[in-house]
Amino acid sequence: MSVVLIAYDGTDNAQRAVTHVGQFVLAQRVVVLTVWTPIRPGSDPVSVDLDGPPDPPDLDDLDDLDIAYADAQRTNDEGLRLAKSAGLSAEPLCVAVTGTVWRTIIEAADRIEADLIVTGTRGTTGLRSLLQSSVSDHVLRHGKRPVLIVPPGT
């Protein structure tokens, strides 16, 4: 195994997944991925712009202002620390969601040519699991790479 992508959202199940990778998977490269949903600021209050239409916002500046991005970075840093404490030589990756979280995970895995995607699961069962497919279930069904789904702990 050379490249492993760990989907990390800060939950107990994601923490458990990182720990399992450290215990059971040998990899040359481990990438801790946190997917985040941008929160774009609303439009400015009405103002008078005497030199014509308002200038478009600078997208790089918006990332600096986006609290969701800052939160994702903190979550990813936590996952990275956990991975390193589990003996993994890991690198961070934060990606803004494109459509759905599961599709973003698959696209990130494709981009880094991951040999394995690792994710935790919420562990729903029964009728609820039939009505609500999990992110890990979608990654498993729609991705074209092996997926290790670590179940919730007891």
Side-chain angles (χ1 to χ4, degrees), residues 62-79:
L62 290 178
D63 285 342
D64 293 337
L65 300 174
D66 195 326
I67 59 171
Y69 179 63
D71 187 51
Q73 285 183 312
R74 282 190 296 277
T75 299
N76 193 262
D77 288 345
E78 172 190 290

Side-chain angles (χ1 to χ4, degrees), residues 7-9 33-37 72 76 93-98 100-102 104-105 108:
Y8 187 81
D9 63 2
L33 168 70
T34 301
V35 176
W36 62 283
T37 303
N76 193 262
L93 179 61
C94 287
V95 177
V97 70
T98 53
T100 61
V101 172
W102 62 266
T104 305
I105 292 170

Side-chain angles (χ1 to χ4, degrees), residues 59 77 142:
L59 295 179
D77 288 345
H142 298 285

Side-chain angles (χ1 to χ4, degrees), residues 37-53:
T37 303
I39 300 173
R40 297 293 183 213
S43 59
D44 289 334
V46 176
S47 63
V48 176
D49 189 353
L50 299 176
D51 67 346

Side-chain angles (χ1 to χ4, degrees), residues 126-139:
L127 181 62
R128 185 173 181 193
S129 69
L130 292 174
L131 298 174
Q132 270 184 323
S133 294
S134 68
V135 168
S136 57
D137 181 56
H138 278 95
V139 170

